[in-house]
Amino acid sequence: NLDFMVSLAHTFAKIFKLIRGGILVFVPSYTVLNKIKKVWRANKLFKMLQAEREIFIEEQNVVKSKGMLEDYL
């Protein structure tokens, strides 16, 4: 649902302002993750979120995910 995904980004932006340090978010599948990324990019919500925090997204590829985790840590 488009409205839900947009609302989710705005909710994260509010949470980012309230909580210091890292925040870990889980979604049920890579399919859901890809839909969220697509909506957020189309609506420039990634830029809004990245203004508050650096965003790390796990890749489906294990090798790429290991590198992302090392960057996060």
Side-chain angles (χ1 to χ4, degrees), residues 27-65:
V27 295
S29 68
Y30 285 106
T31 301
V32 172
L33 177 61
N34 291 332
K35 287 179 184 178
I36 289 171
K37 289 187 325 187
K38 183 177 180 179
V39 168
W40 287 6
R41 285 190 178 117
N43 292 281
K44 298 184 177 146
L45 297 168
F46 265 119
K47 288 184 180 185
M48 175 190 71
L49 294 171
Q50 288 175 329
E52 297 294 327
R53 299 283 171 94
E54 189 171 1
I55 308 292
F56 295 90
I57 299 174
E58 181 183 50
E59 298 287 336
Q60 229 169 331
N61 179 314
V62 175
V63 174
K64 288 182 181 178
S65 288

Side-chain angles (χ1 to χ4, degrees), residues 11-22:
T11 300
F12 284 142
K14 291 176 185 176
I15 291 170
F16 289 174
K17 291 177 182 180
L18 297 172
I19 297 175
R20 293 182 176 194

